[in-house]
Amino acid sequence: MSDWAQSDIGRAEPDAIIIRGRDLASELMGKVTFTELTFLLVQGREPSAGEAALLDAVLVSLADHGLTPTALAARLTYTGAPESLQGAVAAGLLGAGTVFLGVVEDTAAFLEPVVAEADGDDERLTAAARVAVEARLAEGGRIPGLGHPVHKQVDPRTPRMYEIAEQNAVLGPHLRALRLVADAHRELTGRALPINGAGVGGAALADLGFSSRIVRGFALVARSAGLVAHLAEEMDRPLGMPLFLEVDERSRGV
Amino acid sequence: MSDWAQSDIGRAEPDAIIIRGRDLASELMGKVTFTELTFLLVQGREPSAGEAALLDAVLVSLADHGLTPTALAARLTYTGAPESLQGAVAAGLLGAGTVFLGVVEDTAAFLEPVVAEADGDDERLTAAARVAVEARLAEGGRIPGLGHPVHKQVDPRTPRMYEIAEQNAVLGPHLRALRLVADAHRELTGRALPINGAGVGGAALADLGFSSRIVRGFALVARSAGLVAHLAEEMDRPLGMPLFLEVDERSRGV
Amino acid sequence: MSDWAQSDIGRAEPDAIIIRGRDLASELMGKVTFTELTFLLVQGREPSAGEAALLDAVLVSLADHGLTPTALAARLTYTGAPESLQGAVAAGLLGAGTVFLGVVEDTAAFLEPVVAEADGDDERLTAAARVAVEARLAEGGRIPGLGHPVHKQVDPRTPRMYEIAEQNAVLGPHLRALRLVADAHRELTGRALPINGAGVGGAALADLGFSSRIVRGFALVARSAGLVAHLAEEMDRPLGMPLFLEVDERSRGV
Amino acid sequence: MSDWAQSDIGRAEPDAIIIRGRDLASELMGKVTFTELTFLLVQGREPSAGEAALLDAVLVSLADHGLTPTALAARLTYTGAPESLQGAVAAGLLGAGTVFLGVVEDTAAFLEPVVAEADGDDERLTAAARVAVEARLAEGGRIPGLGHPVHKQVDPRTPRMYEIAEQNAVLGPHLRALRLVADAHRELTGRALPINGAGVGGAALADLGFSSRIVRGFALVARSAGLVAHLAEEMDRPLGMPLFLEVDERSRGV
């Protein structure tokens, strides 16, 4: 078992807990925020102040949007199993798939080869973005990160995320590429679609050095906080049982 | 549906996302950390700087402990369903029950009536702590928050948490009561058990104003970050499949 | 790893799959029903024809009840993550806790000591049932398995289950004790509560030799079939998205 | 809410539970097996005796394979949260993704257009199977349902499933197409790969009239029974905690 039974993330020893090589009690608690710790856990190094600010903005932007299908699923699960808070949170996270939070991952995955192709050159970035959009449109596919059913003109999170990235000097190639993608899409189709909040989050996470394969994980961390808030509210003001009763009544034509 | 279909947590409007009455883009992104947002989401108000520091310390302390059963469950789930990151995170959270993270809730629930009974009076707090410990021991029960299988003398997180609470002037009655509980336990049994990290986390969360019914939720938010880190590592250095193969081989006596 | 890495349930070999010591292909497929296999998997022996009939009746009785909170949670989860059918089924099962399906386990657990106390003697069974009901009522507790919010007079599953057990000569002490419990409750409180379907299912499973700790598992197997049916319907006639949209609209007072 | 709040699957009324238009107590309990009910729930009609026999064989064949990653994940989850059996079963199901049980769905999805193309004509079925294999190989893809890491010559479930289908006169075009697919693959590549048990299960489910989109659901129902058996064994002979302790020890080089 010696080879694979290894993790660089953390371990507990009799007199210390070690996280990514740091002593949890003396080097992390009271010294880093939970956001900085999350960066450290996944990336293996501490973020700069600017990186932490951008990651905070991403997590804050994705934590909650009200009575979404995932929040409703978590609250209905709590209705049936109030003794198992972890079950209700897990049920809420299970709906964080391709339809909603998957855009975070899809956008990062769409931008990764564009940024790789440009290799740091701005002109090549513009060209690569256009080529990628053309290719996707030719396949009849949609461009991830563009358009939103509610925020039809501007997703308010998007300009704010660019502003925060700029102010903290961490506006990197994926965020830049996403703007070029939106431009190319508008030119090629004649339709102006806003960059949505999930898309800009995915681009920001890619700029923070995270692979597109893991960026959905940050959306899950963020969303878990929203779900806990919904469950705290559910304890005081139940919505799951009345929702069920009303659906049940209507389903029988009462 | 008008009565119950309400949530004070968040909602999306065409040109704004509102979280707890604040405009997400202009009032929260770039202005609050994810930890402060989590406090706001659950509590409905922003934390003081000291409260945020204590909540950060709690979340940091509970995020990861290496290859725990929950981390292994998440990694094995990823082995079978790599396309569903949310499923692997959910599987990991589902093991955060009474045996491990439940101590956070149990400790808060044990301390709540002690603190209520004392009603702000220090002497009464000492007496109430002792009475509660006596009653629990008389029932043959264990005192939640005391003792740890690995950290037999001192759980390194505990003194650090008290230090952080004190430095930030947020050391409240639940944390004080937990120390009194440990003292009473030692006097009544003759055995000195350390206050463990889950217990001190539960007491700190109760001092931050959270009901014992919801404190396990913060442990879930914290743990989700650790699970995402394990899944990122699993992508690069798979442990689930070799673990399965070795168990399989041994189970057949190979 | 040699000691604990063992399971008597099943294993795969190059030219055979062995389940509970039987060759899957030649001894089980085409020879036992899935219900008989489920009994074999958990119990380690094949059921008699009567036992299989009773287990079939239990599984059939618990599989579905329409648009329950768990079915709604599964369908809402599918709305967000249609690519992960297992996530939607898992979300639905997570609500199968103490409020709904927990009654199966609670009833079995309530009856176990009653049956043990009687030790096969009918008069002692009557007395033990009455003592158990008195004790529970004295604690201010409810008697599990009695009463139903919709089926106020008779839960139609209950008389049918007794009939099936009788016809198959497998009406055992737990089912008998449950009737005595209902009688004692009526005499002691003056209120006649019907034995509900979850309760009679729990008693039947206990008579089939299953520990109260595992009986909830059969309810989960049964319910998984209902959830798969709901998800198949959701694919053709989506309910999750319109439910979300209506809640969302009403929540904003539209 | 009137339009979408409808389900044809089931509903509870004061004196009856109706499943797919049948009275649960008088028309289903004691009259249909759980397998027949599962067919009815998803398909909306009762199966013939032959169809029920084939579905039983599929469910029996997929229920368990020993200490697989999903069984280990379920048992480790139970270690942390023994109070939540549904959480442990859910965790086990979450690993039933593309790598293992996904083959059931992939095979059915691969065969569907082949069968549709042939439109009941045997010669056209042979041709369509060959065209589909050629196309998939040309894309560099794998043929779902062929090959198995352990059963390198013959997966013992496969000939048995064909035999059962034949004996019950329900050997349909998808099962026939799968054999033609295996033949075409051997001819085109020169490599003989066995049809695996998941593949033959997917073809059988497609022949039973289920869409490829839902067939994975039957694998989940089947697997839930295996998981319940593993959890019953875990209660008596814990494997989760020793597994964790051994991994933990080795990870620290002890």
Side-chain angles (χ1 to χ4, degrees):
Chain A
M1 201 184 267
S2 45
D3 289 311
W4 54 263
Q6 300 293 332
S7 171
D8 292 339
I9 296 168
R11 66 180 191 277
E13 297 178 355
D15 53 0
I17 295 164
I18 308 298
I19 304 286
R20 287 290 187 189
R22 280 87 173 160
D23 181 81
L24 172 60
S26 66
E27 296 183 85
L28 297 173
M29 285 173 67
K31 304 212 168 147
V32 301
T33 65
F34 177 61
T35 297
E36 290 168 327
L37 183 85
T38 299
F39 188 106
L40 170 65
L41 277 167
V42 182
Q43 197 73 290
R45 67 166 176 86
E46 268 131 355
S48 70
E51 288 170 328
L54 185 59
L55 182 54
D56 260 320
V58 172
L59 293 174
V60 165
S61 75
L62 295 173
D64 195 72
H65 293 99
L67 294 170
T68 54
T70 56
L72 293 173
R75 294 176 81 141
L76 285 158
T77 301
Y78 183 83
T79 301
E83 74 284 2
S84 173
L85 199 65
Q86 73 272 19
V89 171
L93 292 182
L94 288 170
T98 51
V99 176
F100 296 107
L101 291 184
V103 176
V104 177
E105 178 176 332
D106 296 340
T107 306
F110 185 80
L111 298 174
E112 271 175 353
V114 170
V115 168
E117 169 75 22
D119 197 23
D121 182 294
D122 269 5
E123 267 178 53
R124 283 167 66 184
L125 193 66
T126 308
R130 190 180 173 100
V131 167
V133 172
E134 280 178 326
R136 180 64 63 97
L137 292 175
E139 293 164 11
R142 297 175 56 181
I143 310 300
L146 301 187
H148 195 282
V150 175
H151 311 298
K152 291 186 192 298
Q153 303 297 320
V154 175
D155 186 322
R157 293 167 291 181
T158 301
R160 184 71 181 119
M161 192 74 80
Y162 278 97
E163 194 176 39
I164 292 165
E166 196 141 48
Q167 285 168 352
N168 287 281
V170 287
L171 205 164
H174 296 85
L175 280 167
R176 285 209 307 278
L178 182 55
R179 272 209 288 231
L180 297 169
V181 161
D183 292 347
H185 178 270
R186 192 183 57 246
E187 286 161 24
L188 289 162
T189 66
R191 290 179 62 208
L193 289 182
I195 297 172
N196 58 44
V200 80
L205 289 164
D207 273 344
L208 289 169
F210 299 108
S211 157
S212 64
R213 298 163 73 206
I214 200 63
V215 293
R216 194 191 297 193
F218 293 92
L220 296 171
V221 173
R223 193 51 56 99
S224 69
L227 291 170
V228 170
H230 277 282
L231 293 168
E233 191 179 66
E234 183 72 16
M235 290 172 185
D236 291 334
R237 237 166 58 194
L239 178 156
M241 189 56 89
L243 171 60
F244 155 55
L245 292 176
E246 184 161 332
V247 171
D248 185 55
E249 214 167 73
R250 299 283 183 93
S251 75
R252 288 183 281 142
V254 179
Chain B
M1 203 183 267
S2 45
D3 289 312
W4 54 263
Q6 300 294 332
S7 171
D8 291 339
I9 296 168
R11 66 180 191 278
E13 297 178 356
D15 54 359
I17 294 165
I18 307 298
I19 303 286
R20 288 288 186 188
R22 279 87 172 159
D23 182 79
L24 172 60
S26 67
E27 297 183 84
L28 297 174
M29 286 172 66
K31 304 211 168 149
V32 300
T33 65
F34 177 61
T35 297
E36 290 168 328
L37 183 85
T38 298
F39 188 105
L40 170 65
L41 277 167
V42 182
Q43 197 73 291
R45 68 166 176 86
E46 269 132 356
S48 69
E51 288 171 327
L54 186 58
L55 182 53
D56 261 320
V58 172
L59 294 173
V60 165
S61 74
L62 295 173
D64 195 72
H65 293 97
L67 293 171
T68 56
T70 58
L72 293 173
R75 295 176 80 141
L76 285 158
T77 300
Y78 183 83
T79 301
E83 73 284 3
S84 173
L85 199 64
Q86 73 271 19
V89 172
L93 292 182
L94 288 170
T98 51
V99 175
F100 296 106
L101 290 184
V103 176
V104 178
E105 179 177 331
D106 296 341
T107 306
F110 185 80
L111 298 174
E112 271 175 353
V114 170
V115 168
E117 168 75 23
D119 197 24
D121 182 295
D122 269 6
E123 270 179 51
R124 283 167 64 185
L125 194 64
T126 308
R130 191 179 174 100
V131 167
V133 172
E134 280 178 326
R136 181 63 63 97
L137 293 175
E139 292 164 11
R142 297 176 56 181
I143 311 299
L146 301 188
H148 195 283
V150 176
H151 310 298
K152 291 187 192 298
Q153 303 298 320
V154 175
D155 186 320
R157 294 166 292 181
T158 301
R160 185 68 181 123
M161 192 75 79
Y162 277 98
E163 193 177 39
I164 291 166
E166 195 141 50
Q167 285 168 351
N168 287 281
V170 288
L171 204 164
H174 296 85
L175 281 167
R176 286 209 306 280
L178 182 56
R179 274 208 286 231
L180 297 169
V181 161
D183 292 347
H185 178 269
R186 192 184 58 248
E187 287 162 24
L188 289 162
T189 66
R191 288 181 62 210
L193 290 182
I195 297 173
N196 59 45
V200 80
L205 290 165
D207 273 345
L208 289 169
F210 298 108
S211 155
S212 64
R213 298 163 72 207
I214 199 63
V215 294
R216 194 192 297 192
F218 292 92
L220 296 170
V221 173
R223 193 50 56 100
S224 69
L227 291 170
V228 170
H230 277 282
L231 294 168
E233 190 179 66
E234 183 72 17
M235 290 172 184
D236 291 333
R237 238 166 56 194
L239 177 155
M241 189 58 87
L243 170 60
F244 156 56
L245 292 175
E246 184 161 332
V247 171
D248 186 54
E249 213 166 74
R250 299 284 183 94
S251 75
R252 287 182 283 142
V254 179
Chain C
M1 199 185 270
S2 44
D3 288 312
W4 54 263
Q6 299 295 332
S7 170
D8 291 338
I9 296 168
R11 66 179 193 278
E13 297 178 355
D15 53 0
I17 296 164
I18 308 298
I19 303 287
R20 288 289 186 189
R22 279 88 173 158
D23 182 79
L24 172 60
S26 67
E27 297 184 83
L28 298 173
M29 285 173 67
K31 304 212 168 148
V32 300
T33 65
F34 177 60
T35 297
E36 290 168 328
L37 183 85
T38 299
F39 188 105
L40 170 65
L41 277 167
V42 182
Q43 198 74 290
R45 67 166 176 88
E46 269 131 356
S48 69
E51 288 171 329
L54 186 59
L55 182 54
D56 261 320
V58 172
L59 294 173
V60 165
S61 75
L62 295 173
D64 195 71
H65 293 97
L67 293 170
T68 55
T70 57
L72 293 173
R75 295 176 79 140
L76 285 158
T77 300
Y78 183 83
T79 302
E83 74 284 3
S84 173
L85 200 64
Q86 73 271 21
V89 171
L93 292 182
L94 288 171
T98 52
V99 175
F100 297 106
L101 292 184
V103 175
V104 178
E105 177 176 333
D106 296 342
T107 305
F110 185 80
L111 298 173
E112 271 174 354
V114 169
V115 168
E117 169 75 22
D119 197 21
D121 181 295
D122 269 5
E123 267 178 54
R124 281 167 68 184
L125 194 65
T126 308
R130 190 180 174 99
V131 167
V133 173
E134 279 178 327
R136 181 63 63 96
L137 292 174
E139 291 165 11
R142 297 174 57 180
I143 310 300
L146 301 188
H148 194 282
V150 175
H151 310 299
K152 291 187 193 299
Q153 303 299 319
V154 174
D155 187 320
R157 294 166 290 181
T158 301
R160 185 70 181 122
M161 192 74 80
Y162 278 98
E163 194 177 37
I164 291 166
E166 197 140 50
Q167 285 168 351
N168 288 282
V170 288
L171 205 164
H174 296 85
L175 280 168
R176 285 208 307 278
L178 182 55
R179 273 209 287 231
L180 297 169
V181 161
D183 292 346
H185 178 269
R186 193 185 56 247
E187 287 161 24
L188 289 163
T189 66
R191 289 180 62 209
L193 290 182
I195 296 173
N196 59 45
V200 82
L205 289 164
D207 272 345
L208 289 168
F210 298 108
S211 156
S212 63
R213 298 163 74 206
I214 199 65
V215 293
R216 195 191 296 193
F218 292 91
L220 297 170
V221 173
R223 194 49 59 98
S224 69
L227 292 170
V228 170
H230 277 283
L231 294 169
E233 190 179 66
E234 183 72 16
M235 290 172 183
D236 291 333
R237 237 165 59 194
L239 179 155
M241 188 56 88
L243 171 60
F244 156 56
L245 292 175
E246 183 162 331
V247 171
D248 185 55
E249 214 167 71
R250 299 283 182 93
S251 76
R252 285 183 283 142
V254 178
Chain D
M1 199 184 269
S2 44
D3 288 312
W4 54 264
Q6 301 294 333
S7 171
D8 291 338
I9 296 167
R11 65 180 193 278
E13 296 178 356
D15 53 1
I17 295 165
I18 308 298
I19 303 287
R20 288 287 187 191
R22 278 89 172 157
D23 182 79
L24 172 60
S26 67
E27 297 184 83
L28 298 173
M29 286 172 67
K31 304 213 168 147
V32 300
T33 65
F34 177 60
T35 298
E36 290 168 328
L37 183 86
T38 299
F39 188 105
L40 170 66
L41 277 168
V42 182
Q43 197 74 290
R45 68 167 177 86
E46 268 131 357
S48 69
E51 289 171 327
L54 186 57
L55 183 53
D56 261 320
V58 172
L59 294 173
V60 165
S61 75
L62 295 172
D64 196 71
H65 293 97
L67 294 171
T68 56
T70 57
L72 293 173
R75 293 176 81 141
L76 285 158
T77 300
Y78 184 82
T79 301
E83 74 285 2
S84 173
L85 199 64
Q86 73 271 19
V89 172
L93 292 182
L94 287 171
T98 51
V99 175
F100 296 106
L101 292 183
V103 176
V104 179
E105 177 176 334
D106 296 342
T107 305
F110 185 80
L111 298 174
E112 270 175 353
V114 170
V115 169
E117 168 74 22
D119 197 23
D121 182 294
D122 269 6
E123 268 179 52
R124 283 166 67 185
L125 194 65
T126 308
R130 191 181 173 98
V131 168
V133 172
E134 280 177 327
R136 181 63 64 95
L137 293 174
E139 292 164 12
R142 298 174 57 180
I143 312 299
L146 301 187
H148 194 281
V150 175
H151 311 298
K152 291 186 193 297
Q153 303 298 321
V154 174
D155 186 320
R157 294 166 291 181
T158 301
R160 184 71 181 121
M161 190 75 79
Y162 277 98
E163 194 177 37
I164 291 166
E166 197 141 49
Q167 286 168 351
N168 288 280
V170 288
L171 204 164
H174 296 85
L175 281 167
R176 285 208 307 278
L178 182 55
R179 274 208 286 230
L180 297 169
V181 161
D183 292 347
H185 177 270
R186 192 185 56 246
E187 287 161 24
L188 289 162
T189 65
R191 289 179 62 208
L193 289 182
I195 297 173
N196 58 45
V200 82
L205 290 164
D207 272 344
L208 289 169
F210 299 108
S211 157
S212 64
R213 298 162 75 206
I214 199 65
V215 293
R216 194 191 297 193
F218 293 92
L220 296 171
V221 173
R223 194 50 58 99
S224 68
L227 292 169
V228 170
H230 278 282
L231 294 169
E233 190 179 67
E234 183 72 17
M235 290 172 185
D236 291 332
R237 237 166 59 193
L239 178 155
M241 188 58 88
L243 171 60
F244 156 56
L245 292 175
E246 182 160 333
V247 171
D248 185 55
E249 213 167 72
R250 298 283 183 95
S251 75
R252 287 183 281 143
V254 179

